[in-house]
Structure formats: C-alpha cells, structure tokens
Amino acid sequence: MRRPAAPLLALIAVLAAVLAGPPAPAQARTAAAPHRPVILVHGYNADPGVWGGLDARLRAAGYTDGEIHRWGYDTHQSVNEVLAGRFAAYVEDVRRRTGADTVDIVAHSYGSLPTRWYLKYGGGTAAVAHWISLGGPNHGTGVAWACALWDQACRDMTPGSWVQKRLAEGDETPGAVAYTTFWSGCDEVINPDGSVPLAGADNRPAGCLDHNALLGDEAVARGVLAALAG
C-alpha cells in the first residue's frame, strides 16, 4: 500500500485540528472554586430585604444561591440574652447545610452587636473567617437613648451600656478572624462617628454617606468584596 504524500498528511492534520476546535483554557477546564458562605445580617427595625444591592454584587462576583445567606431576626431583643445564641445556631445550620468549615459575616448597624457577641463570648471565632461591619454602633450611639426606655435593643446600643462595656473589654477583635469596619462621617444614626471602628480591625472610611446608604454604595460594596477575598 502506498503511503499518503507528506503534504496530504499535513492537510489531514490541519483539518482534524479545525474540527476539534481550540484547546480549552486551563481555567475553563477547572470548575470555579466555591466561595465561603457569607451571612448577611440586617440592622435595627429592618429585615433581610435590605441586602438586595449587595446580594446582586455578590452574584456578579460569582457567588451562588447556596453561598449567600440572610439572617432575619427580631431586632427588639437582647444582644447577649437572645440574639447571639440564635445567631450561633443559624451559623451552625449554614455550616451543616453547606459543609463549610467557616463562614463570613457582613452586618449592618445593630446586626454588628449580636454577631460580635457571638464571636467574643459564643465561641464563634472558630467558625468565622471574616467579619465586616457597615455602620455598626460598636461603641454605642447616642441616638439609641430615644428608644431605650421601652426597647431592650436600644438599651444595648446606648453608650456605656452593660453590653457595650462587655464588648469593649480586653481584645475587641478576638481570634484569627479578619475584622473590617466601614464608617461614614455623615452617618445620622451612629453618633459619634468614631463608634464604628474597632481596635485591631481594618477600619475604612466610606466618605459622606447616610446610614442606610452604606448598604447600597458601590464603593462600599467593592470594599466588602475585597475584604471577603482577603
């Protein structure tokens, strides 16, 4: 049998390569690494619906349904006696359902306090990689005096309250958790503005934003995504 001429062999090889298509890039052949589950915790007198803007940005960055979780709770209850324990149970449920060793937390306003209590006094540092606070009353806010007479959560938010003193004792950022805060110089709810930053955290100024504008600001969202990836 006669062998095909060399030019014919070359043509066959070219045609085979064309039909096979270009080789898939290494990134395309490897499934994207999953993100750590992130739990979004709303603030006082709010609900999980406030997270629409950040939720959309997380999804645009590649987060999936199973990686984004929103904790809803009664914001008129005590930080230490009720909410921190319920949040701890929620974290364990997320870890069980996802199989993740650790989760990330993004909290707005009052949501910063029960999540901090969980980290400091509820053993949460072993289960959390990143904790991010947007406009949290981390050292109290004078605005809370307006409702402290009848509302336990407001009492917990007042400067010098038992909860505030306990959270400020010793290390404000315990464990190997990466702590980040975002604060605004124009926040009408957190007074003084310096209540938000924590010793040992990455404290980032967000410019002149209203309290709730921290939830949807594009620059803040980019900062949150960068902190989660850090």
Side-chain angles (χ1 to χ4, degrees), residues 49-62:
V50 301
W51 292 110
L54 183 59
D55 185 294
R57 289 181 171 89
L58 287 168
R59 293 176 189 278

Side-chain angles (χ1 to χ4, degrees), residues 8-125:
L8 179 58
L9 289 173
L11 178 60
I12 292 172
V14 170
L15 288 173
V18 170
L19 291 173
Q27 298 92 327
R29 291 195 299 267
T30 304
H35 297 91
R36 186 180 294 107
V38 58
I39 300 175
L40 308 178
V41 183
H42 62 80
Y44 184 75
N45 268 350
D47 59 56
V50 301
W51 292 110
L54 183 59
D55 185 294
R57 289 181 171 89
L58 287 168
R59 293 176 189 278
Y63 280 77
T64 64
D65 286 344
E67 295 169 338
I68 303 173
H69 307 266
R70 305 188 195 189
W71 185 52
Y73 63 102
D74 181 349
T75 65
H76 302 286
Q77 295 182 314
S78 168
V79 165
N80 59 309
E81 294 175 340
V82 178
L83 297 180
R86 291 183 179 176
F87 182 68
Y90 184 80
V91 170
E92 290 310 302
D93 181 59
V94 170
R95 292 175 66 199
R96 178 187 58 77
R97 287 187 283 115
T98 63
D101 292 331
T102 57
V103 302
D104 293 331
I105 299 168
V106 181
H108 178 242
S109 192
Y110 179 60
S112 302
L113 300 186
T115 55
R116 280 184 65 204
W117 193 279
Y118 161 66
L119 289 171
K120 192 175 180 79
Y121 296 113
T125 55

Side-chain angles (χ1 to χ4, degrees), residues 194-218:
S195 173
V196 180
L198 294 170
D202 179 5
N203 301 301
R204 305 185 183 187
C208 185
L209 295 173
D210 293 342
H211 187 63
N212 287 335
L214 289 162
L215 288 162
D217 182 74
E218 184 175 347

